[in-house]
Amino acid sequence: MRVLGINAVFHDPAAALVVDGEIVAAAEEERFSRRKHGKVPVAFSTWELPEQSAEWCLERAGLSPRDLDAVAYSYDPCIAPPAGADITAGNWEGLRTLYAQRAPLFLQTALPGLDPERVIFVPHHLAHAASAYLAAPYPRCSVLVLDGRGERASHLAGHAEYGDLTVLATQYLPDSLGLMYEELTAHLGFRRSSDEYKVMALASYGEPAYLPALRELVRATGDGGFKVGPIDWAAFAPARRGGPDCEDGAFSAAQVNLATSVQHRLQEVLLDLATWLHERTGDTDLVMAGGVALNCVASSWLLEHGPFERIWVQPAAGDAGTALGAALHVARGLGDRIHPMRTAALGRGWTDESLEGWLRMAEVAFERPDDVAKATAEVIAENGIVAWFQGRSELGPRALGHRSLLANPSHADNLQRLNAIKGREQFRPVAPMVRVERAADIFEGGPLPSPYMLFTHRVKPEWRDRIAAVVHVDGTARVQTVDEHDEPLVARMLRAVERLTGVPVVVNTSLNTAGRPMVDDPRDALECFGSAPIDALAMGPFLVRRRRR
Ligand SMILES: [Fe+2]
C-alpha cells in the first residue's frame, strides 16, 4: 500500500510516505519553505498544507498523487469541537474544525490528481502514539503521548502489542502539561510552541524554589490523568520581555527558579503517570511521543527513577512526527506489515555529481580529498569548525550527523563560538557525538546506545575538562551515539578525530543560523557557510575551506 501522511493542523507541517509498510520518506515543510516551524500556530493557518514536502515524498518514490491508496491526515475533525454557527467562538476553534473538514479538498488542490475520498482522518494522539509504537523496535510496550493539545485531549496512555493499541487513559483539555510548558515559555519571553527547549536549558541554572506551590497546582489524579492549574505565573516571577533587544542572561533569579521548578514538577508528574501505566501493563518498555517527549531532561529522569527498563522516544516527537504516525497507522489498517524505523535520515539527499554541480555554480574553490572524513577530522583537530552536509537530512529537531556543525570539544570556548555563529543565547548547550563502543568510557547514567540524542547522560568526572565544550552546568551532556554499521562516514570521522587528538568525542549541533530552519539543500549549506565564520564545509566528498582576509 502507498500511504501519504500529512500533518497540517497546529504547527510543524510535515509529510511522510509509507510504501508496503516501509518508511520511504519523511520531511518537514520548514526545510523546503525556509520558514521555521512551517507556519504560525493559529487556527487561520489550518488550511496550509505541507505542499512541498508532500510533493517531494511522492517524487522520491516516483509516485503521482493518483497512485496513492490513502492519505492519512493527523487530526480528526469528527472528534473536534463542532464548527457550530459561530466559527469565531472559542478563539476560532470552529474555523480550525471547518478547515480540517475541508482538508481533502485542499489536498486535492495542492496535489492534483489526488482522490479526496482517499483522505482518512486519524485522531491526533493516535497518530502521535503510532509514530512511537509502530516505529519503535518493541513488539510489546506501554505508550505515553503528551503534547499541548489534539482535538480535545492533551494525553494518551496505553499498551501496544504487535501493533494493536489499547488506550488506557486520556486527559482532556484544558488540562495540558504541554500547554503549561508553552505558557511558561511565553512568560519567560520566548516563542511558545517553538522555544520550549530553551526553557529546559535555562532550568538547569536555577533552584526549584516554587516546587511546593506547583505541587498544589499541577498533579496526577490517580486515574492515569492529571490536573493543571490555572497558574498565575506573575505571582512567581514577572513576565520577561522577549524579542531581539533582549540581552543574554537578562533573567531574574525568580524567572530562572520558575523554569527550574516547572521542569522539576513536570518530571514528578511524568513519573506518577508512568508508574500508573506500568502498574496496569507490567511492560518492560515504554515508548513516548508528543512535544513533551522532546524534553530530554525529563525523559532521562523518568528512565532513571521510573519503572520502565527501556524508553524509546520518537525522534520527531513533536507534531511533525504525526505525519509519519498517521501514515503508519493507516498502512497497518490496510493490511501492511510495518517495519520499525531504522534511521531519522528520511529527508532529501543529493548525488556527488549534483553536489559538485552546486559548488561549480557557486564558483567556490573546493577540493576532493581522498577521504572527507579524515580531512574534516584534521580541521577539527586544529580547532576549526566544520559545516557537515552528508546524506539525507534528518526528520525531527536534532541534527544527527547529516546536517551538523562540528567542532572540537576540548576547547571550552567552542560553546560560545558556536552560539555566536548560530546567533543564539549563550546559555544554550551543544551536544557530543561519540562512537557507540566508546560511549560507556565517557558517559554514564543514560541509555546506551542513544542514536537520536533524546536523553541526557552524566559525563564521568575525569572527562569533564577534556570535553568541556559539551558539559552542561550540571555535569550532564545530551549524547548521540554513532554505530558504524548505520553511519560509517560519521564513525570514520570520529575515529580520525580520536587518532589525531586522543579524544573520541566531537561537538555536534544543528547546521543553521538564528531563527532559520536547519539547512536542508546544498544552496542552504552554501548560504550558511558563506554567512558565518565557519572554517570548512564538508559537502558529500568535497571540502570547501574558508579563505580569510
Ligand atoms: Fe501534538
Side-chain angles (χ1 to χ4, degrees):
M1 290 290 164
R2 296 149 167 180
V3 183
L4 180 70
I6 295 285
N7 172 54
V9 171
F10 296 107
H11 40 72
D12 300 307
L17 184 67
V18 174
V19 176
D20 298 334
E22 189 85 50
I23 305 164
V24 171
E28 290 172 58
E29 188 71 2
E30 65 162 26
R31 308 291 165 86
F32 295 77
S33 67
R34 310 310 298 158
R35 188 179 180 199
K36 194 147 184 169
H37 298 298
K39 62 178 182 176
V40 185
V42 294
F44 301 100
S45 71
T46 302
W47 68 271
E48 286 184 42
L49 295 168
E51 293 182 32
Q52 296 180 70
S53 44
E55 271 173 24
W56 170 77
C57 283
L58 293 173
E59 190 189 306
R60 166 99 197 168
L63 299 178
S64 84
R66 265 184 200 83
D67 301 324
L68 291 167
D69 295 293
V71 177
Y73 184 89
S74 63
Y75 188 89
D76 186 353
C78 303
I79 57 170
D86 179 6
I87 56 165
T88 69
N91 207 15
W92 298 90
E93 194 59 35
L95 182 75
R96 191 191 318 273
T97 303
L98 186 64
Y99 278 169
Q101 285 167 346
R102 298 288 185 270
L105 298 174
F106 294 149
L107 278 159
Q108 188 187 34
T109 310
L111 300 169
L114 181 89
D115 178 359
E117 297 286 321
R118 296 201 172 172
V119 178
I120 296 170
F121 295 117
V122 179
H124 187 75
H125 289 97
L126 182 53
H128 270 307
S131 80
Y133 72 84
L134 289 176
Y138 308 148
R140 176 198 299 259
C141 54
S142 295
V143 184
L144 195 54
V145 174
L146 285 161
D147 68 356
R149 59 163 295 188
E151 294 87 354
R152 288 174 180 271
S154 71
H155 150 270
L156 176 157
H159 167 73
E161 205 158 323
Y162 298 103
D164 286 326
L165 178 72
T166 307
V167 177
L168 298 170
T170 300
Q171 179 57 56
Y172 289 96
L173 297 168
D175 297 293
S176 167
L177 293 169
L179 290 181
M180 170 189 78
Y181 217 92
E182 282 185 24
E183 281 172 20
L184 173 66
T185 301
H187 189 73
L188 294 178
F190 297 116
R191 271 182 65 188
R192 63 185 303 160
S193 301
S194 169
D195 291 348
E196 283 67 28
Y197 61 106
K198 297 184 184 178
V199 176
M200 183 190 75
L202 188 67
S204 60
Y205 287 85
E207 295 295 326
Y210 308 120
L211 197 49
L214 285 166
R215 282 180 178 144
E216 299 292 316
L217 291 164
V218 186
R219 58 194 154 76
T221 44
D223 56 359
F226 49 85
K227 182 95 190 71
V228 179
I231 302 173
D232 177 8
W233 298 105
F236 295 106
R240 176 175 168 268
R241 196 164 57 87
D245 55 341
C246 214
E247 293 290 317
D248 278 351
F251 295 94
S252 67
Q255 287 164 336
V256 180
N257 288 343
L258 181 57
T260 309
S261 305
V262 172
Q263 176 68 29
H264 276 239
R265 189 56 189 146
L266 172 71
Q267 292 168 193
E268 290 177 347
V269 174
L270 203 54
L271 177 60
D272 290 340
L273 299 179
T275 304
W276 181 90
L277 182 56
H278 184 262
E279 280 167 6
R280 267 132 204 96
T281 66
D283 288 325
T284 308
D285 301 321
L286 172 69
V287 299
M288 290 171 70
V292 178
L294 288 174
N295 190 312
C296 57
V297 176
S299 302
S300 304
W301 197 85
L302 182 61
L303 183 61
E304 191 161 357
H305 297 92
F308 293 99
E309 285 176 27
R310 295 190 295 182
I311 299 181
W312 189 90
V313 178
Q314 161 58 241
D319 274 5
T322 64
L324 178 60
L328 290 172
H329 171 75
V330 168
R332 187 171 184 281
L334 293 173
D336 280 345
R337 191 173 67 83
I338 304 299
H339 302 270
M341 187 169 175
R342 293 190 308 259
T343 176
L346 296 163
R348 287 188 289 179
W350 278 263
T351 62
D352 294 352
E353 295 68 35
S354 166
L355 293 175
E356 186 169 355
W358 279 94
L359 290 166
R360 291 196 186 286
M361 189 193 72
E363 295 189 0
V364 291
F366 65 93
E367 57 200 82
R368 184 172 187 152
D370 292 340
D371 181 3
V372 74
K374 189 161 162 277
T376 296
E378 283 162 6
V379 178
I380 293 169
E382 287 161 17
N383 203 25
I385 290 177
V386 181
W388 176 257
F389 181 103
Q390 303 292 344
R392 296 176 68 178
S393 58
E394 302 92 339
L395 177 69
R398 305 274 171 264
L400 300 167
H402 291 240
R403 302 288 185 275
S404 293
L405 269 175
L406 307 178
N408 191 320
S410 304
H411 302 267
D413 62 354
N414 276 344
L415 172 61
Q416 286 78 31
R417 207 170 146 204
L418 285 164
N419 279 335
I421 284 175
K422 297 179 64 151
R424 60 185 209 173
E425 301 86 350
Q426 285 299 337
F427 66 82
R428 303 272 302 282
V430 289
M433 56 173 23
V434 60
R435 280 185 301 118
V436 68
E437 306 91 292
R438 294 290 270 130
D441 300 337
I442 303 157
F443 305 102
E444 60 189 358
L448 294 173
S450 187
Y452 299 124
M453 210 200 266
L454 290 162
F455 295 89
T456 58
H457 300 68
R458 284 189 297 278
V459 181
K460 289 186 177 177
E462 64 271 28
W463 279 93
R464 288 187 188 162
D465 288 339
R466 296 185 70 187
I467 55 169
V470 296
V471 183
H472 298 178
V473 64
D474 58 0
T476 64
R478 195 179 62 203
V479 177
Q480 180 199 352
T481 59
V482 174
D483 186 319
E484 81 184 313
H485 298 291
D486 303 328
E487 297 287 348
L489 181 69
V490 180
R492 207 160 71 236
M493 181 273 297
L494 287 165
R495 257 183 215 285
V497 168
E498 183 170 10
R499 254 195 322 271
L500 291 167
T501 67
V503 175
V505 173
V506 165
V507 179
N508 167 29
T509 184
S510 57
L511 180 54
N512 62 326
T513 48
R516 291 174 170 263
M518 241 197 275
V519 158
D520 203 77
D521 75 10
R523 184 192 297 277
D524 307 331
L526 285 160
E527 284 178 357
C528 183
F529 177 69
S531 66
I534 299 167
D535 297 284
L537 165 64
M539 193 154 91
F542 308 104
L543 194 73
V544 184
R545 295 180 195 273
R546 174 159 314 279
R547 293 163 183 216
R548 289 197 159 79
R549 278 192 299 159

